[in-house]
Amino acid sequence: MDIDRKIRYGMVGGGPGAFIGEVHRMAAALDGKMKLVAGAFSSKPEKSRKMGKKLHLKKNRVYDSYEVMAEKEASLPADERIDAVSITTPNHMHYPVAKAFIEAGIHVICDKPMTNTIEEAEELCRLVDKHNVVFALTHNYTGYPMVKEAKKMVADGKLGTLRKVVVEYPQGWLSDTGDDEIWRLDPEKAGISSAVGDIGTHAENLVAYITGLHLKELYADIHSFGEGRELEDDASMLVHYEDGLRGILYVSQISVGDENDLNIRLYGDKAALEWYQEDPNYLHVKYPDGPEEIYKRGNPYLSKAAEAGNRIPPGHPEGFIEAFANIYSNVADVIGARLGGREPEALSLDFPTVQDGARGVHFIHKAIESGKNRSWVDMSYEPPVSS
Amino acid sequence: MDIDRKIRYGMVGGGPGAFIGEVHRMAAALDGKMKLVAGAFSSKPEKSRKMGKKLHLKKNRVYDSYEVMAEKEASLPADERIDAVSITTPNHMHYPVAKAFIEAGIHVICDKPMTNTIEEAEELCRLVDKHNVVFALTHNYTGYPMVKEAKKMVADGKLGTLRKVVVEYPQGWLSDTGDDEIWRLDPEKAGISSAVGDIGTHAENLVAYITGLHLKELYADIHSFGEGRELEDDASMLVHYEDGLRGILYVSQISVGDENDLNIRLYGDKAALEWYQEDPNYLHVKYPDGPEEIYKRGNPYLSKAAEAGNRIPPGHPEGFIEAFANIYSNVADVIGARLGGREPEALSLDFPTVQDGARGVHFIHKAIESGKNRSWVDMSYEPPVSS
Amino acid sequence: MDIDRKIRYGMVGGGPGAFIGEVHRMAAALDGKMKLVAGAFSSKPEKSRKMGKKLHLKKNRVYDSYEVMAEKEASLPADERIDAVSITTPNHMHYPVAKAFIEAGIHVICDKPMTNTIEEAEELCRLVDKHNVVFALTHNYTGYPMVKEAKKMVADGKLGTLRKVVVEYPQGWLSDTGDDEIWRLDPEKAGISSAVGDIGTHAENLVAYITGLHLKELYADIHSFGEGRELEDDASMLVHYEDGLRGILYVSQISVGDENDLNIRLYGDKAALEWYQEDPNYLHVKYPDGPEEIYKRGNPYLSKAAEAGNRIPPGHPEGFIEAFANIYSNVADVIGARLGGREPEALSLDFPTVQDGARGVHFIHKAIESGKNRSWVDMSYEPPVSS
Amino acid sequence: MDIDRKIRYGMVGGGPGAFIGEVHRMAAALDGKMKLVAGAFSSKPEKSRKMGKKLHLKKNRVYDSYEVMAEKEASLPADERIDAVSITTPNHMHYPVAKAFIEAGIHVICDKPMTNTIEEAEELCRLVDKHNVVFALTHNYTGYPMVKEAKKMVADGKLGTLRKVVVEYPQGWLSDTGDDEIWRLDPEKAGISSAVGDIGTHAENLVAYITGLHLKELYADIHSFGEGRELEDDASMLVHYEDGLRGILYVSQISVGDENDLNIRLYGDKAALEWYQEDPNYLHVKYPDGPEEIYKRGNPYLSKAAEAGNRIPPGHPEGFIEAFANIYSNVADVIGARLGGREPEALSLDFPTVQDGARGVHFIHKAIESGKNRSWVDMSYEPPVSS
């Protein structure tokens, strides 16, 4: 970072009991580059204040609504107001909150999926461009050093021509059909999709990040195993990418006993790689004619991208929070560079953008469309104002 | 076995350099229940004789052709002639060879896929019934004790209602596109399919064996990555089974670095199980609300079916040949019971039948049809003379 | 925490390039309970100031020496001065620094091994008692939730009578004998031991934490594989504990390719457990008569102790920093309770104490003595003012 | 093999219910090189005959005692009598049985440990030399292809100068102290040791096989956890080898939940290797400065020694029986060469010899001596008539 202070940020969402808000705060805190100074943590003012107190914030920086927060913060002196906001609300609020802060000239870190409609997503693309703010989407799995190494290997041609990808994200937390009070199953909040929106977008983004390729067409078999559910809790997709890559993308929320088992297997004509989110410090590379290799986080033989995302020596496992923090760290560096009037370093630009977010929203809508129509869908898509 | 001698068998196919013929011989030899006494090991008489000599067979029991062998063996006295024949030729020869021996009243152990056409498969069903011979198809993976344990768990309701299955069989041995002289890629010998026929049938059979369920409909995405190949070397399928089970069946011969990675993950509403052919002595069971369990071959807490397929104590790994031998062992017991005029024990009937073979051939044809038409296919099917 | 502010802490050591200082800062930051406000980061004032600037500290809180820091901080008003200090210097400085801050009434978090001599260690025990400060030693591996679960299982009798323990801590980072400029190999700084002091103490502490048992006698085979090294880089010990537990404790710094492979296998007469630091979210439990179980971090079926050390849902891997942070979090809670005039909650007292530190130092000295004399040593020991 | 028939062998021991006799028979049968034609399967004639009938042997080749068998077989015509005998009795009978057959000029395959006393072991060395028979000891773990690959890597200098070895063989089958009717705990049959004799010798032999090094000195901590047991069920040893290699050798029969977990980790100054008997198709190699490698059985990149021990393609797991069969296969080839009047091929000489057996017996006695005296023992030893 190029300035002699921490980046000040506020948070919308992340009230008491919200898992992902807590993760954002830990991720922001980990490297000491950012400091939480404001928040509208809940749509219920009392809950927001309770959280503000727990976080030791000044009372006048804890707001009853995001609208007031955006307005008030924007009106504070430059050496006091927040540089950025983290949006960790349920999906349907991402758009209005992001819009409010972007228009206030405040940088945004937003949870995924970015919005509930393609129109909203594209509008955010245009707003980010117009107001020239930094916008990061927390596809946090791309923050893992060994995912960065995988991307580098593909870019270097180590796998040869890509042929086949199998990307999976099975979870079991919705296998019990009795407990459906959660917002991810409520179309009003979650949008048109549960499994595809929540975890399918991560899988799609992971492939795009590692391979640099986009989907060309897709066939989705979607299903709700939970009785009475409006949204799908399982989706199996046949996927065709640019340049001849094809394969399977599979997500599930009813895979009993699976916890958060995102994984990818990617095969080229020269080599293949495998990465497992639940064992994230290792990257497996397989060859047709030599022993399998296991690359391990933290070692000097890895690429600069992997090294940049690394904090501690090999064998001292890093996990989910550290990967999440890598997005925050890069965003902090980029905001710091802007504040310092300098160009950010290339490696710090390594985080998902508003255009990635628009692609994700487009993916959700097309996958659900395919599933409902039992037909292939054309995935050609270019988000506005591409970065 | 109920008779005081070994079962005598002959072999068609399995000449010099043939991997699977050697496996059949080791599987038959392992338990000392069967004895190889005759053979037509190659369509080239010289090769057949060379192999006969290597195997220390009597010269007059090594034949130049399967036709001569079937005829001559059938004409030998009852205390000399073969009780059974093992067919380990390329696919296109399974039918005529099997037919010849069945009609000679000789029991058959046949490699898979059973035939190249559905008509041939159904004809074998009828012939087996008519001539009342024992017919076993070497879907050898069902011979693994922990697969038998999996079947038992499902039957006992331990998984609850089955919801989702993911069965994979990736291999990498055809990833190199330069070396296509092999018969599995030649439609004249392999039939209409390479990957689906060779390994897809194993995957389909494994699900059927464990779950007891049959396919209802199927959508296949098939592809040849190898340049100039007529037959597919990769297939990804969306599969819908009876009783609401659905999932993914995926096979590949171009998954660089994968060796023989057949595996299955099966999810019910109460529990899930996982089994990996490359680590076959273990069966993983996962629950929504308790620790994962690893069941290990050879332990007294396993079912009788698993125990019956077991040879040595836990921790002394058994492998592919032992699983293969379990099919031979059961077939030997059933033939022995017939020769001894007794009913076979129930557990010895645990091997794939001619009807399983017909289902496999039907599966191949429908999967390829689906892939070519880019459409779902109805999988309703009942082989003739069902067992 | 019982007060409406973060705990203020300072750091001694942890200058540019120091791995462990950075770990302490991340661990303290993660949960938002502590705030770094002061430091003497290096014995070289320039380096200290550089680090202070990088950390955005106020200039007047960055000190040229720990002595000045202790004196100045103690003289600040109560609402400004540090509540606690983190000591992350090389070993030989732990004692004087800790002494200075304890005598200034400032709570201490100290890296291990606690001191270089037994006398120093015992003096710290007495000082902590006399000045009534909180003192925590960062045997961070006891911070892992699944280690806490292991301790609970043993306490609950799930393993029955303990019989055998195998605890290992192999590393390979000193296998190259050419690069011996590091302080851990310098007796002036590291004390009388390299491997035993740096990692053997972790292994010893891990067994004591999980089992609640202390060593009765020990036989150490120590060796320096690195040419010209004065201190041992490898030690294999036969260990006899109280109550009949016996086994092996093995540490190495020349185990090429091993990264940080601390692990423990503990066998009782009813069950056994296994835990691997490099895969820390899982605890394996084995039985004589049932399937192996894998307990997984974050699940509701775990004990309260494991739950207390947990941040995010199962399947989202937590790692080294999170475990380290659990010590900081507990210390912050205990200091907060003191500041708030309340009794700390029982679970927050779960961190290594100054007496644990004295035991560790005693262990180092006796192990080296055994190794040099090729004889068993009596390990009976009771640190002063036992907690 | 150089002759046009199978090698004929007989068996002493291996009656009903004997695990290891069955393993020997399967191992001998697997490759079709040997044929069981005679036996004295039990010291109880009735049991022997029962087993002979089960194995379909001719009645006149099933004997009431090994003495009669040795005498009668030796008197049969050359084209009928056994070429070799397999000895699978309890330990105390190995010596007299082996002696009887060696003196009858019959080749011997003997289970381990070779004898109960060093004198007997050395006498066998001399007898083997005098009567010029082939003698193989079934240290079957050296039959695994990946163990052969490990040996080759060490010989090729891939690991550099060897420094450290950790070899373990924990089992849990004797953890229950109530069931001590078995011969391995009876000094009359098992000799002076249980754990060291039964599995320690395998561990010792494995290190010697892979490294080519012998023990120089040893310190053993031995213990009986089972109440009332005369023989040890657990032993932890500090081991010093020739050429500066040192480490730990650990065996246990009370490690609850462990099945047959023989494993070795071997560290040089350039690289390290790891091999696990329960996952035997893989060999891990680690480096200080590059990714870990996993070598996999059956691949063309392996050495000729590994290839020679291989039967089926990669990914089709081979196990315990196949490794055991590799010893039988080599012995059959060597006997065949002798019968054919030719020199055996170098690779077929790869099996444990009578001298290896003498070393094992010496190891047992010295380890128990060390354990009883709580002192280091000198391990210098050269068996007679070294091969």
Side-chain angles (χ1 to χ4, degrees), chain C residues 163-164 166 168 170 174-177 217 219-223 225-226 234-240 244 246-248 250-252 254-258 261 263 265 267-272 274 286-288 374 376, chain D residues 163-164 166 168 170 174-177 217 219-223 225-226 234-240 244 246-248 250-252 254-258 261 263 265 267-272 274 286-288 374 376:
Chain C
R163 288 174 159 182
K164 179 105 186 199
V166 181
E168 306 178 337
L174 293 179
S175 62
D176 184 353
T177 60
E217 59 173 354
Y219 188 107
D221 188 22
I222 67 173
H223 194 66
F225 285 96
D234 189 275
S236 301
M237 305 185 205
L238 305 170
V239 287
H240 295 176
R246 48 169 65 204
I248 293 166
Y250 142 46
V251 298
S252 177
I254 55 83
S255 295
V256 171
D258 283 351
D261 195 12
N263 66 79
R265 288 170 283 169
Y267 303 90
D269 59 359
K270 288 191 190 161
E274 294 184 18
K286 297 179 178 181
Y287 303 90
R374 287 174 61 107
W376 287 89
Chain D
R163 287 174 161 184
K164 178 107 187 198
V166 181
E168 306 178 337
L174 294 179
S175 61
D176 184 353
T177 60
E217 59 173 354
Y219 187 107
D221 189 22
I222 67 174
H223 194 65
F225 285 97
D234 189 276
S236 300
M237 304 185 205
L238 305 170
V239 286
H240 294 177
R246 49 171 64 205
I248 293 166
Y250 143 47
V251 298
S252 177
I254 55 86
S255 295
V256 171
D258 283 352
D261 195 11
N263 66 79
R265 289 169 282 170
Y267 303 90
D269 60 359
K270 288 190 190 162
E274 294 183 19
K286 297 178 176 181
Y287 303 90
R374 287 175 61 107
W376 287 88

Side-chain angles (χ1 to χ4, degrees), chain D residues 278-336:
Chain D
E278 295 191 358
D279 197 22
N281 293 282
Y282 306 98
L283 178 66
H284 299 255
V285 184
K286 297 178 176 181
Y287 303 90
D289 51 8
E292 180 175 334
E293 290 177 340
I294 308 179
Y295 289 75
K296 305 184 181 185
R297 188 195 51 74
N299 279 290
Y301 55 73
L302 299 178
S303 68
K304 286 194 176 177
E307 192 190 332
N310 182 55
R311 281 173 190 79
I312 47 176
H316 303 71
E318 295 192 13
F320 181 88
I321 296 171
E322 289 81 353
F324 216 107
N326 281 338
I327 291 184
Y328 269 88
S329 176
N330 281 343
V331 171
D333 286 348
V334 170
I335 295 175

Side-chain angles (χ1 to χ4, degrees), chain A residues 254-273:
Chain A
I254 55 85
S255 296
V256 170
D258 283 351
E259 299 189 332
N260 201 48
D261 195 12
L262 173 65
N263 66 78
I264 184 168
R265 287 169 284 169
L266 181 62
Y267 302 90
D269 60 0
K270 288 190 191 162
L273 61 79

Side-chain angles (χ1 to χ4, degrees), chain A residues 164 168 219 234 265 376, chain B residues 164 168 219 234 265 376:
Chain A
K164 178 106 187 198
E168 306 178 336
Y219 188 107
D234 189 274
R265 287 169 284 169
W376 287 89
Chain B
K164 178 107 188 195
E168 306 178 337
Y219 188 107
D234 189 275
R265 289 170 282 168
W376 287 89

